Amino acid sequence: MPTDTLPHILITNDDGVHAPGLAALAEALTAIARVTVIAPDHNWSAAGHAKTMHKPLRADPGQLANGLPALVTSGAPSDAIALGLLGLAEGPVDMVMAGINRGENLSRDVTYSGTVTAAMEGAIGGVPAIAVSLGTRNRRADYSVAAAFAVTLAQRVLATGLPSHILLNVNVPELPAEAILGVRITRLGSRVYRDVLVRRADPFGRPYYWIGGEPPTGIREDGTDVTALAQGYISITPLQLDLTAYLLLESLAEEDW
Ligand code: MN
């Protein structure tokens, strides 16, 4: 198929341009799309939704772990998507994908995740957007199952579209394809963060701090991303950029201000 008839997908990640999950996603999508990769030059995991405004951004030609071409940026994952949508990606972009992240992005993780916030930047830009994460801590994880699912989902969303300002957050269990139980459409669940404040002193006696601790766990509740992933399902959670707490709109408005 000539490439000008293919859909154009802009991808990034937050683990950095050399991450295997990004290479796997780019390679898999190449079968169905023209793929533009703009990826950060280092790991931005948990760096949230950033917009670099106070220094210039670089975006230089480079390559992924598998040799595919990429633009390597000094910016955040969300900057990478903004750069692409504002013209660094050649031609109109039909879809934004971020990932495949090393590690699940569940529940409140979505507010920290550079992967999810990169997809949010796509949704802000008016483009259907999908974040894909693999539930693993393994540096040598196999991304092929998640990449294959990303292709299936991309084809479906390219055909049907998404309502504006809505994105999909996808988490794939680290299981062989035949062991995955299926797909669950989920809501965000509850994560239990186990952060502790680690206080140390530098060689000059000045204190410094780490926010660290054990990896987060989750509470098993029906219908949630946390539970679906733990049970061995692929979880798809539709997310919206409208964070308005509708629950409080009326009662707050009724108060005497
Ligand atoms: Mn990451």
Side-chain angles (χ1 to χ4, degrees), residues 10 24 44 60 64 112 114 128 135 168 211 223 255:
L10 170 63
W44 286 79
D60 298 319
L64 306 181
Y112 297 108
L168 300 180
I211 298 171
E255 281 182 38

Side-chain angles (χ1 to χ4, degrees), residues 14-15 43-46 101-103 105 113-115:
D14 79 356
D15 295 334
N43 193 327
W44 286 79
S45 293
N101 189 60
R102 181 170 72 85
N105 278 304
S113 167
T115 310

Side-chain angles (χ1 to χ4, degrees), residues 105-249:
N105 278 304
L106 302 168
S107 172
R108 263 82 80 175
D109 293 344
V110 301
T111 63
Y112 297 108
S113 167
T115 310
V116 178
T117 53
M120 287 179 179
E121 189 67 22
I124 288 173
V127 177
I130 304 172
V132 185
S133 304
L134 181 68
T136 182
R137 311 246 172 269
N138 182 359
R139 289 194 180 274
R140 277 189 285 244
D142 179 356
Y143 290 90
S144 60
V145 174
F149 184 73
V151 170
T152 303
L153 185 60
Q155 284 179 301
R156 192 179 282 218
V157 171
L158 282 166
T160 61
L162 285 173
S164 66
H165 301 134
I166 288 182
L167 57 144
L168 300 180
N169 184 41
V170 179
N171 284 279
V172 179
E174 190 184 27
L175 293 170
E178 63 276 11
I180 292 179
L181 296 179
V183 175
R184 286 272 192 264
I185 307 302
T186 58
R187 62 188 166 93
L188 294 179
S190 298
R191 211 58 158 133
V192 180
Y193 296 105
R194 298 186 287 172
D195 291 338
V196 291
L197 181 63
V198 178
R199 187 190 318 247
R200 292 181 185 155
D202 74 13
F204 311 100
R206 203 170 150 222
Y208 66 93
Y209 304 92
W210 285 102
I211 298 171
E214 298 291 309
T217 58
I219 297 170
R220 295 273 193 115
E221 297 158 307
D222 282 350
T224 66
D225 53 356
V226 170
T227 300
L229 190 72
Q231 289 177 336
Y233 291 92
I234 294 170
S235 165
I236 302 177
T237 308
L239 300 178
Q240 59 190 10
L241 295 176
D242 182 354
L243 299 178
T244 308
Y246 289 95
L247 192 67
L248 282 185
L249 266 188

